[in-house]
Amino acid sequence: MIERDLVIVGGGPAGMAAAVSAHENGVKDILLLERDQFLGGILNQCIHTGFGLNYFKEILTGPEFADRFIKKIDDIKDIEVSLKSFVIKLNNNLEITYLKPGEMNEVKAKAVIMATGCRERTREMAHIAGTRPSGIFSAGLAQKLINVEGLLAGNEVVVVGSGDIGLIMARRMTLEGAKVKAVIEIQKQSKGLVRNIVQCLDDFGIPLYLSHKISRIYGQDRVNKVDVVKVDDKYNEIPGTKFEISCDTVLISAGLIPENELIEMAGVEIDRKTNTPVATDKNKTSIEGLFVCGNAFQIYDLVDSVARDSILAGKMAAEYLKDKK
Amino acid sequence: MRKEFICIECPNSCKLVVDIENDKVVNVTGNKCKKGETYAKCEVENPSRVLTSIVLAEGLEIKMVPVRTNKPIAKKLILTAAEEIKKIRINNSVKVGDIIVPDFLNTGADLVATREVRNE
Ligand SMILES: Cc1cc2nc3c(=O)[nH]c(=O)nc-3n(C[C@H](O)[C@H](O)[C@H](O)COP(=O)(O)OP(=O)(O)OC[C@H]3O[C@@H](n4cnc5c(N)ncnc54)[C@H](O)[C@@H]3O)c2cc1C
Ligand code: SF4
């Protein structure tokens, strides 16, 4: 089996920042594995501005932020980037199995940094009563469809959840010509940034219903309407407050959850509630030499914080490798 | 006329109370710093936003090229501009910051690429 000093899994901002930092701290042999055909991770679909204010002191779009790190990586010849490389197995000996088109590879690492990001929560979708027609998307998937594939998810939209991704998508769908009829939030307050409520909803006159939820989805082949109802402090429906909104699309923005199946497979202790590794310190796991950073370690609101903490992870891995020698 | 705004220039989100006469700002209170005043003036007299979108690529390695205006443009132009962007095509490789349309819709802002995209 091929041996490498440091293998990093995931080529989003976390993996790229960790790679650059590990190199700066003396690691000379780095393999970066990314399953997609490009580096950048989730940033490639986040075409809006709002990235990098802390880190680069400039307001960038997601792809622009990614581009700065991609250029740094390109310039460092000690970092080998392997794209279309899907890691399917990791064990507690730090042996990694990954698939590339037409081949299966194995590599043994002295240290590993996992930077596999997060996925969207979809559990909340299951709680809505009614039929299961087409036209129900997670907000992040709709974002990818529009911004990467150029496909508009629908024409008359109701967004469930007013976190930043929900707000950003309400604006994005509007700009592409869809009619966003409402954003529905079960909490008393939006979790999204005030600036996003102003720029994404108020600018376009999109109503935000706080303390409301969707109680039912209707439609046979495609969604055709939803019931919306007001809820009390305990999230119980308040009788007599129900009204309907006709729509062909429901976008659900229910939050994010770290993607950590691989380290779980390796035997790392995981907190069931948050899906994050149980750790004494930031970026650490219960397995020596195995580090986790970025959204895989905890969900960050800002990519700037992802970069900052992933730089730390790169340094920790470099120090671990030095001590080992 | 008196209007309330929330300043979006920084996470403090100050609640601005703005007095307006003949579409001009005459007084701002509630701002913790000078930027709040500028923001209120802008919001009343010439509200503007950076527009981000995508442009269809032809013969490039990905289907859509992300773009932005390199300066804020008038808010009232945003929807028209978003429609106009749908007509544009990019058929040669671009780098971040490359100008796709100069002086986009006579706004003084250029439409620029935000991602490097190579030919197929
Ligand atoms: C929709 C959305 C909007 C956001 N808006 C903002 C904003 O306005 N401002 C801001 O600062 N932040 C924003 N964020 C947050 C910020 O973008 C993220 O926190 C950051 O990109 C996370 O970086 P990451 O590298 O941890 O994860 P990702 O970017 O998700 O990268 C993970 C990478 O790992 C790869 N990977 C996963 N599993 C494997 C495997 N098994 N094998 C190989 N590769 C694998 C994936 O393909 C991906 O490329 C937003 C996030 C989302 C989801
Ligand atoms: S007024 Fe100043 S401190 Fe208050 S939100 Fe605006 S920029 Fe921030």
Side-chain angles (χ1 to χ4, degrees), chain A residues 271-322:
Chain A
D271 181 331
R272 285 274 147 241
K273 265 222 212 84
T274 54
N275 220 35
T276 54
V278 178
T280 47
D281 272 310
K282 194 177 278 174
N283 302 328
K284 283 197 175 154
T285 69
S286 53
I287 295 179
E288 231 187 287
L290 176 59
F291 304 89
V292 179
C293 66
N295 273 354
F297 187 77
Q298 70 178 68
I299 300 299
Y300 292 90
D301 285 336
L302 293 179
V303 73
D304 303 82
S305 328
V306 168
R308 183 195 62 212
D309 288 354
S310 302
I311 285 168
L312 187 68
K315 193 166 173 229
M316 289 165 93
E319 276 160 12
Y320 170 81
L321 286 169
K322 257 180 229 153

Short mmCIF file of all heavy atoms in Angstrom, two decimals, chain A residues 271-322:
data_model
loop_
_atom_site.label_atom_id
_atom_site.label_comp_id
_atom_site.label_asym_id
_atom_site.label_seq_id
_atom_site.Cartn_x
_atom_site.Cartn_y
_atom_site.Cartn_z
N ASP A 271 -21.15 12.38 18.52
CA ASP A 271 -22.31 12.87 19.25
C ASP A 271 -23.54 12.69 18.36
O ASP A 271 -23.64 13.29 17.29
CB ASP A 271 -22.10 14.36 19.59
CG ASP A 271 -23.26 14.94 20.38
OD1 ASP A 271 -24.41 14.45 20.22
OD2 ASP A 271 -23.03 15.89 21.15
N ARG A 272 -24.45 11.85 18.80
CA ARG A 272 -25.61 11.48 17.96
C ARG A 272 -26.47 12.68 17.58
O ARG A 272 -27.07 12.72 16.51
CB ARG A 272 -26.50 10.49 18.71
CG ARG A 272 -25.95 9.11 18.78
CD ARG A 272 -26.33 8.31 17.54
NE ARG A 272 -25.24 7.40 17.26
CZ ARG A 272 -24.54 7.41 16.14
NH1 ARG A 272 -24.81 8.25 15.19
NH2 ARG A 272 -23.54 6.57 15.97
N LYS A 273 -26.58 13.63 18.50
CA LYS A 273 -27.48 14.76 18.25
C LYS A 273 -26.97 15.67 17.14
O LYS A 273 -27.71 16.11 16.28
CB LYS A 273 -27.61 15.58 19.53
CG LYS A 273 -28.82 15.22 20.38
CD LYS A 273 -29.43 16.52 20.87
CE LYS A 273 -30.11 16.52 22.21
NZ LYS A 273 -29.30 16.69 23.37
N THR A 274 -25.67 15.96 17.17
CA THR A 274 -25.12 16.95 16.25
C THR A 274 -24.35 16.31 15.11
O THR A 274 -23.94 16.99 14.18
CB THR A 274 -24.16 17.88 17.00
OG1 THR A 274 -23.18 17.06 17.67
CG2 THR A 274 -24.88 18.71 18.03
N ASN A 275 -24.09 14.99 15.22
CA ASN A 275 -23.28 14.28 14.23
C ASN A 275 -21.84 14.80 14.17
O ASN A 275 -21.18 14.70 13.15
CB ASN A 275 -23.92 14.35 12.84
CG ASN A 275 -23.78 13.03 12.11
OD1 ASN A 275 -23.84 11.97 12.73
ND2 ASN A 275 -23.57 13.08 10.80
N THR A 276 -21.35 15.37 15.25
CA THR A 276 -19.98 15.87 15.29
C THR A 276 -19.13 14.94 16.16
O THR A 276 -19.66 14.26 17.04
CB THR A 276 -19.92 17.29 15.90
OG1 THR A 276 -20.58 17.26 17.17
CG2 THR A 276 -20.61 18.29 15.02
N PRO A 277 -17.81 14.91 15.91
CA PRO A 277 -16.96 14.04 16.74
C PRO A 277 -16.89 14.55 18.18
O PRO A 277 -16.83 15.75 18.42
CB PRO A 277 -15.59 14.12 16.06
CG PRO A 277 -15.64 15.31 15.17
CD PRO A 277 -17.07 15.55 14.83
N VAL A 278 -16.92 13.62 19.12
CA VAL A 278 -16.72 13.98 20.52
C VAL A 278 -15.23 14.21 20.69
O VAL A 278 -14.42 13.33 20.39
CB VAL A 278 -17.18 12.83 21.44
CG1 VAL A 278 -16.93 13.17 22.90
CG2 VAL A 278 -18.66 12.52 21.22
N ALA A 279 -14.84 15.42 21.12
CA ALA A 279 -13.42 15.73 21.13
C ALA A 279 -13.06 16.62 22.30
O ALA A 279 -13.88 17.41 22.77
CB ALA A 279 -13.02 16.41 19.83
N THR A 280 -11.81 16.49 22.76
CA THR A 280 -11.34 17.31 23.86
C THR A 280 -11.02 18.71 23.35
O THR A 280 -11.14 19.69 24.06
CB THR A 280 -10.05 16.73 24.46
OG1 THR A 280 -9.17 16.41 23.37
CG2 THR A 280 -10.33 15.48 25.27
N ASP A 281 -10.59 18.80 22.12
CA ASP A 281 -10.16 20.07 21.55
C ASP A 281 -10.73 20.24 20.17
O ASP A 281 -11.13 19.27 19.53
CB ASP A 281 -8.63 20.08 21.40
CG ASP A 281 -7.97 20.57 22.66
OD1 ASP A 281 -8.38 21.62 23.17
OD2 ASP A 281 -7.05 19.88 23.13
N LYS A 282 -10.70 21.48 19.69
CA LYS A 282 -11.13 21.78 18.33
C LYS A 282 -10.36 20.93 17.31
O LYS A 282 -9.15 20.72 17.46
CB LYS A 282 -10.88 23.26 18.06
CG LYS A 282 -11.58 23.74 16.82
CD LYS A 282 -11.38 25.21 16.63
CE LYS A 282 -12.35 26.00 17.49
NZ LYS A 282 -12.07 27.45 17.41
N ASN A 283 -11.06 20.41 16.32
CA ASN A 283 -10.48 19.66 15.20
C ASN A 283 -9.93 18.28 15.56
O ASN A 283 -9.39 17.59 14.71
CB ASN A 283 -9.35 20.44 14.51
CG ASN A 283 -9.81 21.78 13.98
OD1 ASN A 283 -10.97 21.92 13.58
ND2 ASN A 283 -8.95 22.76 13.97
N LYS A 284 -10.03 17.87 16.83
CA LYS A 284 -9.48 16.56 17.21
C LYS A 284 -10.57 15.49 17.22
O LYS A 284 -11.76 15.79 17.28
CB LYS A 284 -8.83 16.65 18.58
CG LYS A 284 -7.48 17.32 18.54
CD LYS A 284 -6.71 17.02 19.80
CE LYS A 284 -5.31 17.60 19.70
NZ LYS A 284 -4.76 17.88 21.01
N THR A 285 -10.12 14.23 17.19
CA THR A 285 -11.05 13.11 17.34
C THR A 285 -10.46 12.14 18.36
O THR A 285 -9.34 12.34 18.83
CB THR A 285 -11.22 12.33 16.01
OG1 THR A 285 -9.99 11.65 15.73
CG2 THR A 285 -11.58 13.23 14.86
N SER A 286 -11.20 11.08 18.66
CA SER A 286 -10.69 10.09 19.61
C SER A 286 -9.60 9.20 19.01
O SER A 286 -9.00 8.41 19.70
CB SER A 286 -11.85 9.25 20.16
OG SER A 286 -12.60 8.71 19.09
N ILE A 287 -9.32 9.32 17.71
CA ILE A 287 -8.22 8.56 17.09
C ILE A 287 -7.02 9.49 16.89
O ILE A 287 -7.16 10.57 16.30
CB ILE A 287 -8.66 7.94 15.74
CG1 ILE A 287 -9.76 6.90 15.99
CG2 ILE A 287 -7.47 7.31 15.01
CD1 ILE A 287 -10.27 6.24 14.72
N GLU A 288 -5.86 9.05 17.35
CA GLU A 288 -4.65 9.87 17.23
C GLU A 288 -4.27 10.05 15.76
O GLU A 288 -4.32 9.09 14.97
CB GLU A 288 -3.51 9.15 17.94
CG GLU A 288 -2.78 10.05 18.91
CD GLU A 288 -1.56 9.35 19.45
OE1 GLU A 288 -1.73 8.44 20.27
OE2 GLU A 288 -0.45 9.72 19.01
N GLY A 289 -3.92 11.26 15.39
CA GLY A 289 -3.49 11.50 14.02
C GLY A 289 -4.65 11.74 13.05
O GLY A 289 -4.44 12.00 11.88
N LEU A 290 -5.88 11.64 13.55
CA LEU A 290 -7.05 11.88 12.70
C LEU A 290 -7.73 13.19 13.13
O LEU A 290 -8.20 13.31 14.26
CB LEU A 290 -8.04 10.72 12.81
CG LEU A 290 -9.37 10.88 12.05
CD1 LEU A 290 -9.17 11.08 10.57
CD2 LEU A 290 -10.27 9.66 12.28
N PHE A 291 -7.72 14.15 12.24
CA PHE A 291 -8.28 15.47 12.54
C PHE A 291 -9.50 15.73 11.66
O PHE A 291 -9.63 15.15 10.58
CB PHE A 291 -7.23 16.55 12.30
CG PHE A 291 -5.97 16.33 13.10
CD1 PHE A 291 -4.93 15.57 12.58
CD2 PHE A 291 -5.84 16.87 14.36
CE1 PHE A 291 -3.77 15.34 13.31
CE2 PHE A 291 -4.69 16.65 15.11
CZ PHE A 291 -3.64 15.88 14.59
N VAL A 292 -10.39 16.59 12.12
CA VAL A 292 -11.58 16.95 11.35
C VAL A 292 -11.69 18.47 11.38
O VAL A 292 -11.47 19.09 12.41
CB VAL A 292 -12.86 16.34 11.98
CG1 VAL A 292 -14.09 16.74 11.18
CG2 VAL A 292 -12.76 14.83 12.07
N CYS A 293 -12.00 19.08 10.22
CA CYS A 293 -12.14 20.55 10.25
C CYS A 293 -13.26 21.03 9.34
O CYS A 293 -13.82 20.26 8.55
CB CYS A 293 -10.82 21.22 9.88
SG CYS A 293 -10.29 20.96 8.20
N GLY A 294 -13.58 22.30 9.45
CA GLY A 294 -14.64 22.90 8.64
C GLY A 294 -16.01 22.42 9.10
O GLY A 294 -16.20 22.04 10.26
N ASN A 295 -16.96 22.42 8.17
CA ASN A 295 -18.33 22.05 8.52
C ASN A 295 -18.48 20.61 8.97
O ASN A 295 -19.49 20.24 9.53
CB ASN A 295 -19.25 22.33 7.33
CG ASN A 295 -19.76 23.75 7.33
OD1 ASN A 295 -19.51 24.51 8.27
ND2 ASN A 295 -20.49 24.12 6.29
N ALA A 296 -17.47 19.78 8.71
CA ALA A 296 -17.53 18.41 9.20
C ALA A 296 -17.31 18.38 10.71
O ALA A 296 -17.80 17.50 11.40
CB ALA A 296 -16.50 17.54 8.49
N PHE A 297 -16.54 19.36 11.23
CA PHE A 297 -16.30 19.38 12.67
C PHE A 297 -17.46 20.06 13.41
O PHE A 297 -17.91 19.60 14.43
CB PHE A 297 -14.97 20.08 13.01
CG PHE A 297 -14.65 19.96 14.48
CD1 PHE A 297 -14.15 18.77 14.99
CD2 PHE A 297 -14.89 21.01 15.34
CE1 PHE A 297 -13.90 18.63 16.35
CE2 PHE A 297 -14.65 20.88 16.70
CZ PHE A 297 -14.14 19.69 17.21
N GLN A 298 -17.91 21.17 12.88
CA GLN A 298 -19.10 21.83 13.42
C GLN A 298 -19.65 22.73 12.32
O GLN A 298 -18.91 23.15 11.44
CB GLN A 298 -18.78 22.65 14.67
CG GLN A 298 -17.95 23.88 14.39
CD GLN A 298 -17.68 24.70 15.65
OE1 GLN A 298 -16.97 24.27 16.54
NE2 GLN A 298 -18.26 25.88 15.70
N ILE A 299 -20.93 23.05 12.36
CA ILE A 299 -21.52 23.89 11.32
C ILE A 299 -21.13 25.35 11.59
O ILE A 299 -21.39 25.89 12.65
CB ILE A 299 -23.05 23.75 11.28
CG1 ILE A 299 -23.45 22.29 10.99
CG2 ILE A 299 -23.65 24.69 10.25
CD1 ILE A 299 -22.97 21.75 9.65
N TYR A 300 -20.47 25.95 10.61
CA TYR A 300 -20.07 27.36 10.72
C TYR A 300 -20.99 28.20 9.84
O TYR A 300 -21.35 27.77 8.75
CB TYR A 300 -18.64 27.55 10.22
CG TYR A 300 -17.57 26.92 11.08
CD1 TYR A 300 -17.16 25.61 10.86
CD2 TYR A 300 -16.95 27.64 12.08
CE1 TYR A 300 -16.16 25.03 11.63
CE2 TYR A 300 -15.95 27.08 12.86
CZ TYR A 300 -15.56 25.77 12.63
OH TYR A 300 -14.57 25.21 13.39
N ASP A 301 -21.29 29.41 10.31
CA ASP A 301 -22.11 30.31 9.49
C ASP A 301 -21.26 30.97 8.42
O ASP A 301 -21.75 31.31 7.35
CB ASP A 301 -22.74 31.41 10.35
CG ASP A 301 -23.90 30.88 11.16
OD1 ASP A 301 -24.48 29.86 10.73
OD2 ASP A 301 -24.20 31.46 12.22
N LEU A 302 -20.00 31.21 8.76
CA LEU A 302 -19.15 31.99 7.86
C LEU A 302 -17.96 31.18 7.38
O LEU A 302 -17.31 30.49 8.16
CB LEU A 302 -18.65 33.25 8.56
CG LEU A 302 -19.70 34.29 8.91
CD1 LEU A 302 -19.07 35.46 9.63
CD2 LEU A 302 -20.44 34.76 7.65
N VAL A 303 -17.68 31.31 6.11
CA VAL A 303 -16.55 30.60 5.54
C VAL A 303 -15.24 31.13 6.15
O VAL A 303 -14.25 30.39 6.24
CB VAL A 303 -16.56 30.75 4.00
CG1 VAL A 303 -16.17 32.14 3.56
CG2 VAL A 303 -15.67 29.71 3.35
N ASP A 304 -15.24 32.38 6.60
CA ASP A 304 -14.05 32.95 7.23
C ASP A 304 -13.65 32.14 8.48
O ASP A 304 -12.47 31.91 8.73
CB ASP A 304 -14.31 34.40 7.65
CG ASP A 304 -14.74 35.24 6.47
OD1 ASP A 304 -15.93 35.20 6.11
OD2 ASP A 304 -13.88 35.90 5.88
N SER A 305 -14.66 31.73 9.24
CA SER A 305 -14.36 30.93 10.44
C SER A 305 -13.89 29.53 10.04
O SER A 305 -13.05 28.94 10.70
CB SER A 305 -15.59 30.80 11.33
OG SER A 305 -16.39 31.94 11.26
N VAL A 306 -14.46 29.02 8.94
CA VAL A 306 -14.02 27.72 8.43
C VAL A 306 -12.53 27.79 8.09
O VAL A 306 -11.74 26.94 8.48
CB VAL A 306 -14.82 27.32 7.17
CG1 VAL A 306 -14.20 26.13 6.46
CG2 VAL A 306 -16.27 27.01 7.54
N ALA A 307 -12.14 28.84 7.38
CA ALA A 307 -10.74 28.99 6.98
C ALA A 307 -9.85 29.10 8.22
O ALA A 307 -8.83 28.41 8.33
CB ALA A 307 -10.58 30.23 6.09
N ARG A 308 -10.24 29.94 9.16
CA ARG A 308 -9.43 30.15 10.37
C ARG A 308 -9.19 28.84 11.11
O ARG A 308 -8.06 28.48 11.44
CB ARG A 308 -10.15 31.16 11.28
CG ARG A 308 -9.40 31.55 12.54
CD ARG A 308 -10.34 32.23 13.52
NE ARG A 308 -11.39 31.30 13.93
CZ ARG A 308 -12.64 31.67 14.24
NH1 ARG A 308 -13.00 32.94 14.18
NH2 ARG A 308 -13.54 30.77 14.60
N ASP A 309 -10.25 28.07 11.34
CA ASP A 309 -10.11 26.84 12.12
C ASP A 309 -9.44 25.72 11.33
O ASP A 309 -8.81 24.84 11.91
CB ASP A 309 -11.46 26.40 12.67
CG ASP A 309 -11.93 27.33 13.79
OD1 ASP A 309 -11.13 28.21 14.19
OD2 ASP A 309 -13.07 27.17 14.26
N SER A 310 -9.58 25.76 10.01
CA SER A 310 -8.93 24.73 9.20
C SER A 310 -7.43 24.98 9.10
O SER A 310 -6.64 24.04 9.01
CB SER A 310 -9.56 24.69 7.81
OG SER A 310 -10.95 24.43 7.94
N ILE A 311 -7.03 26.25 9.15
CA ILE A 311 -5.62 26.59 9.20
C ILE A 311 -5.01 26.01 10.49
O ILE A 311 -3.92 25.43 10.49
CB ILE A 311 -5.44 28.12 9.12
CG1 ILE A 311 -5.70 28.57 7.69
CG2 ILE A 311 -4.06 28.57 9.60
CD1 ILE A 311 -5.86 30.05 7.50
N LEU A 312 -5.77 26.10 11.54
CA LEU A 312 -5.36 25.51 12.82
C LEU A 312 -5.22 23.99 12.68
O LEU A 312 -4.24 23.40 13.17
CB LEU A 312 -6.42 25.87 13.87
CG LEU A 312 -6.12 25.50 15.31
CD1 LEU A 312 -4.97 26.36 15.82
CD2 LEU A 312 -7.37 25.75 16.17
N ALA A 313 -6.16 23.36 12.00
CA ALA A 313 -6.11 21.90 11.83
C ALA A 313 -4.87 21.50 11.05
O ALA A 313 -4.21 20.51 11.38
CB ALA A 313 -7.37 21.42 11.10
N GLY A 314 -4.53 22.28 10.01
CA GLY A 314 -3.33 21.99 9.23
C GLY A 314 -2.09 22.06 10.09
O GLY A 314 -1.18 21.22 9.98
N LYS A 315 -2.07 23.04 10.97
CA LYS A 315 -0.93 23.22 11.87
C LYS A 315 -0.85 22.07 12.88
O LYS A 315 0.23 21.54 13.16
CB LYS A 315 -1.11 24.56 12.59
CG LYS A 315 0.10 25.02 13.31
CD LYS A 315 -0.01 26.49 13.71
CE LYS A 315 1.16 26.86 14.60
NZ LYS A 315 0.76 27.54 15.81
N MET A 316 -2.01 21.67 13.39
CA MET A 316 -2.04 20.57 14.36
C MET A 316 -1.52 19.29 13.72
O MET A 316 -0.75 18.54 14.34
CB MET A 316 -3.48 20.34 14.85
CG MET A 316 -4.00 21.43 15.76
SD MET A 316 -5.80 21.33 15.94
CE MET A 316 -5.90 20.33 17.40
N ALA A 317 -1.92 19.03 12.50
CA ALA A 317 -1.47 17.82 11.81
C ALA A 317 0.04 17.89 11.57
O ALA A 317 0.75 16.88 11.74
CB ALA A 317 -2.22 17.67 10.48
N ALA A 318 0.54 19.07 11.20
CA ALA A 318 1.97 19.23 10.97
C ALA A 318 2.75 18.97 12.26
O ALA A 318 3.79 18.28 12.26
CB ALA A 318 2.26 20.64 10.45
N GLU A 319 2.26 19.48 13.37
CA GLU A 319 2.94 19.27 14.66
C GLU A 319 2.90 17.81 15.07
O GLU A 319 3.88 17.26 15.58
CB GLU A 319 2.31 20.17 15.73
CG GLU A 319 2.93 21.55 15.69
CD GLU A 319 2.09 22.62 16.35
OE1 GLU A 319 1.11 22.29 17.06
OE2 GLU A 319 2.42 23.81 16.15
N TYR A 320 1.77 17.18 14.80
CA TYR A 320 1.65 15.75 15.12
C TYR A 320 2.68 14.95 14.33
O TYR A 320 3.36 14.07 14.87
CB TYR A 320 0.22 15.28 14.80
CG TYR A 320 0.05 13.78 14.87
CD1 TYR A 320 -0.15 13.15 16.09
CD2 TYR A 320 0.09 13.00 13.71
CE1 TYR A 320 -0.29 11.77 16.16
CE2 TYR A 320 -0.06 11.63 13.77
CZ TYR A 320 -0.24 11.03 15.00
OH TYR A 320 -0.38 9.67 15.06
N LEU A 321 2.83 15.28 13.05
CA LEU A 321 3.79 14.55 12.20
C LEU A 321 5.23 14.78 12.67
O LEU A 321 6.05 13.86 12.65
CB LEU A 321 3.62 14.97 10.73
CG LEU A 321 2.38 14.42 10.04
CD1 LEU A 321 2.16 15.09 8.69
CD2 LEU A 321 2.46 12.91 9.87
N LYS A 322 5.52 15.99 13.09
CA LYS A 322 6.88 16.31 13.60
C LYS A 322 7.17 15.48 14.85
O LYS A 322 8.23 14.87 14.98
CB LYS A 322 6.95 17.80 13.96
CG LYS A 322 7.71 18.63 12.91
CD LYS A 322 7.76 20.10 13.32
CE LYS A 322 7.33 20.97 12.14
NZ LYS A 322 6.74 22.25 12.59
#
